[in-house]
Amino acid sequence: MKKLLARLPVIIIGIPAVYWLLVMANNYVKLSFFAIVAILGQYELCSMLEKGKRKPILEWVSSIIILASSFYGERALFAALAGCVTLAMLTTVFRGLRGDGISYFCHVVFSLFYLPFCLSCFYLLSLTNIGGMGLFLILSSVWALDIGAYIFGMSLRGPKLAPKISPNKTISGAIGGFICSVAFLYCAAHYGWANLPLPRTIYVALVIAIVGQVADLFESVIKRESDTKDSSSLLGAHGGVLDRIDSVLFLGPLCYFIYTL
């Protein structure tokens, strides 16, 4: 209960702020918001992967380039991503033989896909017919996933889902989160809360309910292998930026693909 109360201030402020940024704000403000999230996330990710040995300057510059390019559409986004990966390759060569060239390159390229590219897909998704409101409801279904997993997991308990990766997660919680997420997004499409075409939204709901939970475990793997409890302490009891968006990031390209197929 204490942990839940400690998280309430961020929830009370954060959800209305995200709603305003996605639904009410103009595209420049929206992109700026995603850029800030990407830059903070890059710092946390680099700190975990490389134990704070360097600052992610290249990642920061590349994040701004990739997100800015998304303003001009998906072709510009893919071109920017390819260019930034090439820049990472060149940087690896010019760094010389330090014994960490391959890991450096892999960390940079992974971070470019994980943060600015995935966030850019969400931005592009908000420009489609589903709009900012549809995007907000998609993100809300991830919150429904987390809430359902917590309630069902705490109430029913039972076997662990992945005890070595995340000891607190249970199979009952995973099933409960799946049900809540799919039910929420189905209702959003069925009752016309936003312009979400029902057939495709059902596919998206299933993807979110499955991939969202795997993505959460994926970040847990990064934290476990980095010997880190939270990605940072920026958001207090909520941990860091990556701790709040880990279930969301990989869903960006998938949701964009499904809705624009």
Side-chain angles (χ1 to χ4, degrees), residues 148-165:
Y150 178 81
I151 293 174
F152 277 74
M154 291 296 293
S155 302
L156 302 178
R157 300 187 181 276
K160 302 294 184 180
L161 179 64
K164 291 185 178 180
I165 297 175

Side-chain angles (χ1 to χ4, degrees), residues 2 13 28 38 101 107 129 137 186 190 204 216 221 225 245 260:
K2 288 183 179 179
I13 297 172
Y28 295 106
H107 289 169
N129 291 335
L137 290 173
Y186 173 82
H190 181 72
V204 167
D216 189 21
V221 170
E225 295 190 347
I245 63 175
T260 59

Side-chain angles (χ1 to χ4, degrees), residues 96-252:
L97 297 176
R98 302 187 183 184
D100 66 345
I102 297 301
S103 63
Y104 168 82
F105 177 76
C106 290
H107 289 169
V108 172
V109 173
F110 163 65
S111 70
L112 296 184
F113 174 83
Y114 192 46
L115 282 152
F117 179 76
C118 290
L119 290 170
S120 293
C121 288
F122 280 122
Y123 170 74
L124 290 175
L125 187 59
S126 73
L127 303 182
T128 64
N129 291 335
I130 73 167
M133 187 62 190
L135 178 55
F136 177 76
L137 290 173
I138 288 172
L139 297 182
S140 297
S141 72
V142 180
W143 299 332
L145 173 68
D146 292 339
I147 294 170
Y150 178 81
I151 293 174
F152 277 74
M154 291 296 293
S155 302
L156 302 178
R157 300 187 181 276
K160 302 294 184 180
L161 179 64
K164 291 185 178 180
I165 297 175
S166 186
N168 294 326
K169 288 182 172 57
T170 62
I171 294 176
S172 62
I175 295 172
F178 181 98
I179 294 171
C180 291
S181 178
V182 172
F184 175 85
L185 207 52
Y186 173 82
C187 290
H190 181 72
Y191 293 106
W193 298 348
N195 186 23
L196 296 171
L198 184 58
R200 295 191 182 192
T201 299
I202 291 174
Y203 296 140
V204 167
L206 294 173
V207 167
I208 289 173
I210 297 171
V211 176
Q213 300 196 67
V214 177
D216 189 21
L217 290 172
F218 176 77
E219 204 224 348
S220 294
V221 170
I222 295 176
K223 290 191 291 187
R224 289 281 176 187
E225 295 190 347
S226 303
D227 195 25
T228 305
K229 183 178 183 297
D230 294 320
S231 59
S232 78
S233 58
L234 180 65
L235 301 177
H238 284 269
V241 170
L242 286 180
D243 294 318
R244 291 300 90 214
I245 63 175
D246 54 359
S247 301
V248 172
L249 289 171
F250 283 122
L251 296 171

